[in-house]
Amino acid sequence: MTDISDILEKAKAEGRNYLLEPEAKEIIARYGIPVTKIKVGKDLDEVLKYAGEIGYPVVLKIVSPDVIHKSDIGGVKINLRNKAEVERAYKEIIAATKRFKPDARIVGVLVQEFVPQGTEIIIGVSKDPQFGPTIMFGLGGIFVEILEDVSFRIIPITRRDAKEMISEIKGYKVLMGARGRETCDIEAIINALLSVSKLAWEHQEIKELDLNPIEVYSKGLKVVDARIVLEG
Ligand code: ADP
Ligand code: MG
């Protein structure tokens, strides 16, 4: 059992059942799933320092327990190529958050590497009243939102379940490199599904988990955004 109790305890102590993106990413990283490099800056100076350490281009995102859908309120700025762009984005993000909710608690601004586009997938966990934790897989964007092209299994899953979850969606051809796209690293997706299943099985206090999006490449993948909601 991988120890993530320090992160869960901190959220509980602060009366939160919602884990912030850096916390959720730390948890899934401990389960062996590749995530973007991240650092939380408390002010502009720290954010600029971390941007330099991570290397341009970077992405900035608001870290606030009051902001769940970050880009909806203008809390995400991508592909920032230099200090001037980071400074402007930082100010815009703070202003947008205050416009959205004047008393929003701002933990800081998350700096992360800007990852190249691959094929977007999503992995989710939710609790079924009858079957307990279930895992969902699908392609990102319109495939999930409009076409509802997803597969589900009850947790825990086997390697064979993971393979079937991937191959049974209609969009499987997209993963296999239809129309000149590069073939996705299916083995990396299988491993990510198994790791998420293990995490949700070992920590039943997780009520919802949402990795959306994950960029998949011909070799490897990277989680770009992560959300976890705890019971209670
Ligand atoms: P939200 O809380 O709105 O879901 P996300 O963290 O998912 O915020 O960011 C919104 C979008 O910005 C993502 O769906 C992705 O397209 C893009 N994005 C976010 N982080 C990165 C990153 N590190 N590299 C490249 N694109 C990113
Ligand atoms: Mg997202």
Side-chain angles (χ1 to χ4, degrees):
M1 184 152 167
T2 305
D3 188 15
I4 55 169
S5 52
D6 51 333
I7 302 169
L8 301 183
E9 291 307 320
K10 183 168 186 286
K12 267 183 221 154
E14 291 172 13
R16 287 187 282 125
N17 66 349
Y18 168 69
L19 298 185
L20 300 162
E21 178 179 337
E23 296 170 327
K25 278 186 172 166
E26 172 64 30
I27 288 175
I28 57 170
R30 286 190 200 173
Y31 273 81
I33 304 173
V35 302
T36 55
K37 285 187 207 123
I38 48 170
K39 291 220 160 198
V40 180
K42 284 190 282 295
D43 54 33
L44 178 59
D45 281 348
E46 262 191 20
V47 164
L48 285 167
K49 187 178 93 183
Y50 293 149
E53 286 173 14
I54 286 172
Y56 292 95
V58 294
V59 172
L60 298 191
K61 301 186 195 180
I62 190 67
V63 184
S64 166
D66 298 306
V67 180
I68 296 189
H69 298 287
K70 303 173 293 284
S71 52
D72 287 359
I73 65 129
V76 177
K77 302 279 177 193
I78 65 171
N79 198 14
L80 308 168
R81 290 161 303 180
N82 51 50
K83 277 188 165 185
E85 288 187 5
V86 166
E87 180 167 352
R88 200 169 108 195
Y90 177 89
K91 288 176 178 160
E92 284 174 0
I93 284 175
I94 299 292
T97 304
K98 289 188 173 152
R99 257 199 315 279
F100 166 67
K101 195 166 186 255
D103 61 348
R105 292 160 290 174
I106 297 177
V107 177
V109 170
L110 182 63
V111 188
Q112 57 189 255
E113 59 182 314
F114 175 68
V115 302
Q117 199 172 358
T119 300
E120 286 190 0
I121 62 162
I122 69 172
I123 296 177
V125 171
S126 59
K127 287 247 177 102
D128 181 275
Q130 217 174 340
F131 301 115
T134 59
I135 185 166
M136 185 212 64
F137 168 75
L139 294 177
I142 62 157
F143 288 99
V144 166
E145 283 155 30
I146 297 166
L147 305 175
E148 294 177 7
D149 182 21
V150 292
S151 53
F152 287 94
R153 288 292 183 285
I154 296 167
I155 284 172
I157 59 168
T158 63
R159 178 163 282 271
R160 184 178 171 160
D161 292 326
K163 276 187 188 165
E164 287 172 0
M165 285 183 79
I166 298 165
S167 59
E168 76 189 29
I169 62 166
K170 293 193 203 78
Y172 181 58
K173 285 197 196 100
V174 173
L175 296 172
M176 294 311 284
R179 293 188 176 249
R181 301 172 73 100
E182 63 177 18
T183 310
C184 289
D185 188 341
I186 301 292
E187 195 59 27
I189 304 176
I190 293 171
N191 289 334
L193 284 166
L194 287 170
S195 297
V196 168
S197 166
K198 187 164 184 279
L199 164 63
W201 184 248
E202 290 182 350
H203 295 280
Q204 302 260 339
E205 63 268 52
I206 293 177
K207 188 179 172 196
E208 280 170 38
L209 175 152
D210 189 20
L211 307 182
N212 179 15
I214 304 171
E215 295 287 347
V216 188
Y217 308 105
S218 57
K219 229 177 177 327
L221 55 75
K222 212 158 243 192
V223 175
V224 165
D225 184 23
R227 227 187 298 279
I228 292 177
V229 180
L230 303 174
E231 295 284 0

